[in-house]
Amino acid sequence: MRVLKFGGTSVGSVEGLLNIKKIVSESEDQLIVVVSALSGVTNTLVEMTRMATAGDTGYEAMLPDLVKRHEDIINSVVPRESRLSCMKVVNTFVNESLTGSLGMLIANESLTPEWHDAIADAIVSHGEILSSAIVSLMLKNSKPHFAPAFIHTTDDDEGRVVDWDSTERHVLKEFVGDMTRVHVVQGFIAADSQTGVKTTLGRGGSDYTAAILAAILRADALEIWTDVDGFYDSDPRTHPEARLIERMTYEQAQRLCDNGAKVIYPPTIAPVAMRGIDVWVKNTFNLDAPGTLIAGHN
Ligand code: ADP
Ligand code: ASP
Ligand code: MG
């Protein structure tokens, strides 16, 4: 079994999504496909949250564009027979659930900071809920899952952390013995293990969701599919001289991530390193590129 995580640019364009379909259909392994929100959508949801918190209803004018962005994609990648139900999911989540949550923030002075943050997390969760609906309907016969049912967080002295006991128990219950070949899971979104209130794993956290699943389910590999050919010695977008690293150790990867290499969210490495699971960084837009292998030894 392999865990494949597709980032925002991969799920945010027709080309990326069609390549995801190709990658999944060419594999015979059991796969867990973890998806981010469409590129830019989490930022939009964060901005809407800021506006609603400030009492600015201007976010309402942004909602039709959000629906349209998803509908355009649905029309290009979702099989004809599933399009209507996919559009319905998008419309319901945006016009009822998202609009309702944003409305709770408007001029609500009685909100405690804790409740404000819980509503903000519920708002940003919509990005992954919408993208996962598209990906699961695009990948026929795949099984959709709801990450907050098994990715659980708790609060300790350091702030919000993964509740590994609860997460392990629930992940095993969700996946062990299920022989479905392709599973689809939202990255980034989680729930508090005590209260069930929605939480997130932090910006860029979809990589971490994938690593948590790979570690608990002892996956054969974790694949981080993104928009560059692999892990470079510096950001290839800002450093044209950056060199691709074909193979690196977990320690080297951790060091680069801690120093700001945003290609992998820093907490991702530890759980897979602990179990010796190979991590590949690969390009959804260049399927021939071999990518970078992160493993125990160089
Ligand atoms: P995704 O949406 O797929 O999670 P991210 O934007 O989070 O993608 O990460 C991919 C980006 O990370 C690349 O587009 C690249 O600009 C940036 N990046 C920064 N440092 C590195 C690095 N050392 N190697 C590769 N990419 C890097
Ligand atoms: N969608 C979330 C973000 O933009 C999580 C992720 O993409 O990994 O931060
Ligand atoms: Mg990322």
Side-chain angles (χ1 to χ4, degrees):
M1 191 266 286
R2 294 184 287 141
V3 179
L4 276 53
K5 178 262 173 176
F6 293 96
T9 42
S10 304
V11 296
S13 70
V14 173
E15 182 192 358
L17 283 159
L18 294 178
N19 281 348
I20 293 174
K21 201 167 156 184
K22 189 162 188 267
I23 293 160
V24 168
S25 67
E26 284 176 357
S27 168
E28 289 180 358
D29 293 341
Q30 187 176 42
L31 304 178
I32 298 183
V33 173
V34 176
V35 295
S36 293
L38 273 54
S39 52
V41 166
T42 307
N43 286 346
T44 301
L45 294 167
V46 169
E47 175 58 9
M48 288 177 170
T49 306
R50 191 198 61 73
M51 291 169 93
T53 305
D56 175 359
T57 54
Y59 67 79
E60 285 170 1
M62 297 158 72
L63 294 167
D65 280 352
L66 187 66
V67 171
K68 174 117 188 4
R69 169 96 194 273
H70 290 84
E71 284 189 349
D72 287 346
I73 295 257
I74 291 168
N75 277 323
S76 305
V77 304
V78 171
R80 210 168 283 279
E81 66 276 13
S82 306
R83 276 184 207 161
L84 212 61
S85 54
C86 198
M87 302 265 197
K88 217 165 148 190
V89 170
V90 170
N91 272 292
T92 308
F93 271 103
V94 173
N95 296 324
E96 293 176 23
S97 167
L98 176 60
T99 304
S101 298
L102 285 161
M104 282 192 236
L105 296 181
I106 283 284
N108 190 345
E109 271 139 32
S110 59
L111 268 189
T112 62
E114 289 75 25
W115 269 110
H116 174 276
D117 293 352
I119 296 169
D121 279 341
I123 290 169
V124 296
S125 297
H126 284 81
E128 272 70 13
I129 288 174
L130 298 176
S131 65
S132 64
I134 295 176
V135 171
S136 64
L137 285 166
M138 175 183 79
L139 301 173
K140 280 193 195 170
N141 303 322
S142 67
K143 177 167 176 177
H145 296 262
F146 184 58
F150 47 85
I151 303 289
H152 290 164
T153 62
T154 187
D155 292 314
D156 74 2
D157 300 342
E158 293 166 34
R160 184 182 295 157
V161 292
V162 169
D163 183 332
W164 280 95
D165 283 348
S166 179
T167 300
E168 174 148 24
R169 232 173 332 108
H170 288 88
V171 165
L172 293 175
K173 202 164 119 208
E174 182 84 8
F175 292 97
V176 171
D178 185 337
M179 304 311 285
T180 309
R181 195 182 78 78
V182 182
H183 299 267
V184 177
V185 178
Q186 305 83 18
F188 178 58
I189 71 176
D192 184 279
S193 56
Q194 301 300 311
T195 61
V197 168
K198 289 242 186 77
T199 57
T200 71
L201 300 180
R203 294 302 307 271
S206 293
D207 299 334
Y208 195 20
T209 304
I212 292 166
L213 291 172
I216 292 174
L217 296 167
R218 312 282 207 271
D220 296 309
L222 166 64
E223 299 178 7
I224 304 289
W225 288 85
T226 184
D227 56 4
V228 289
D229 279 350
F231 215 132
Y232 288 76
D233 57 2
S234 56
D235 186 344
R237 293 200 191 281
T238 48
H239 295 77
E241 76 290 356
R243 285 193 327 199
L244 182 76
I245 307 168
E246 278 174 27
R247 208 186 150 111
M248 64 209 296
T249 62
Y250 299 118
E251 289 75 16
Q252 288 166 326
Q254 187 68 65
R255 211 171 314 121
L256 285 170
C257 293
D258 289 341
N259 286 323
K262 102 180 233 275
V263 64
I264 298 182
Y265 182 54
T268 305
I269 306 290
V272 278
M274 218 148 69
R275 302 240 192 262
I277 294 167
D278 287 352
V279 182
W280 286 91
V281 180
K282 291 176 77 83
N283 191 346
T284 309
F285 302 92
N286 184 10
L287 302 184
D288 295 331
T292 297
L293 171 61
I294 304 167
H297 301 283
N298 238 332

